[in-house]
Amino acid sequence: MASIRIQRKQKGTEQLAPTVRETYPQFDDVVNFVFTTCIGDHSMKAEDRARVVEHWIKVAKACLKLRNFSSMHAIISALQSTPVHWMSMTWKEVSRTSLKTFHKLCAKATAENRNLLMKVNGG
């Protein structure tokens, strides 16, 4: 799949795995949307940002229940991005329940990635 991501903008590759190719822009759009809602408004206080982070954790959990792994991974990726991760005052305001859910989702995402790599590499 990584090679498809690299090739997706090259001429003559439009027919290579079109359904896989279409997931990348959708994934990127979700990441950018989550990232923007967490960081984009500079007038927000840590408490407000924490509520936004908690919202996205709930959405990621719902995506997992719906087996929408791509969107779940996109949300988790955005929340784990360096600028969001460094918002220490925000993360201090996130509820313990939401943090616990977030860590479980991160572990689930890591396990899913590991299983996928094992399948791809024939392990």
Side-chain angles (χ1 to χ4, degrees), residues 38-86:
C38 290
I39 294 192
D41 184 352
H42 299 292
S43 67
M44 290 174 66
K45 295 181 180 180
E47 300 85 21
D48 301 325
R49 291 182 197 281
R51 299 302 77 79
V52 172
V53 168
E54 288 175 346
H55 168 77
W56 286 118
I57 292 169
K58 289 176 188 173
V59 173
K61 184 177 177 181
C63 288
L64 177 62
K65 286 182 181 179
L66 294 170
R67 302 179 55 84
N68 183 345
F69 300 116
S70 178
S71 293
M72 182 198 77
H73 282 280
I75 294 166
I76 296 302
S77 294
L79 294 176
Q80 290 178 325
S81 69
T82 301
V84 176
H85 179 74
W86 281 357

Side-chain angles (χ1 to χ4, degrees), residues 1 27 69-70 72-74 76-77 80 105-121:
M1 265 181 43
F27 183 92
F69 300 116
S70 178
M72 182 198 77
H73 282 280
I76 296 302
S77 294
Q80 290 178 325
L105 290 168
C106 291
K108 181 73 171 171
T110 301
E112 292 288 331
N113 287 340
R114 191 176 325 111
N115 290 338
L116 181 60
L117 285 173
M118 296 278 287
K119 288 178 185 177
V120 169
N121 292 325

Side-chain angles (χ1 to χ4, degrees), residues 86-103:
W86 281 357
M87 297 187 315
S88 59
M89 297 301 287
T90 296
W91 287 100
K92 286 179 184 177
E93 296 292 329
V94 174
S95 73
R96 287 185 183 184
T97 303
S98 292
L99 283 174
K100 186 175 178 181
T101 301
F102 177 67
H103 292 298

Side-chain angles (χ1 to χ4, degrees), residues 1-18 20-22 24-25:
M1 265 181 43
S3 64
I4 293 171
R5 185 174 180 95
I6 293 166
Q7 295 173 357
R8 79 179 197 262
K9 293 186 179 178
Q10 295 175 351
K11 281 195 167 201
T13 62
E14 296 83 11
Q15 298 304 316
L16 295 176
V20 174
R21 290 169 56 89
E22 289 301 315
Y24 289 112

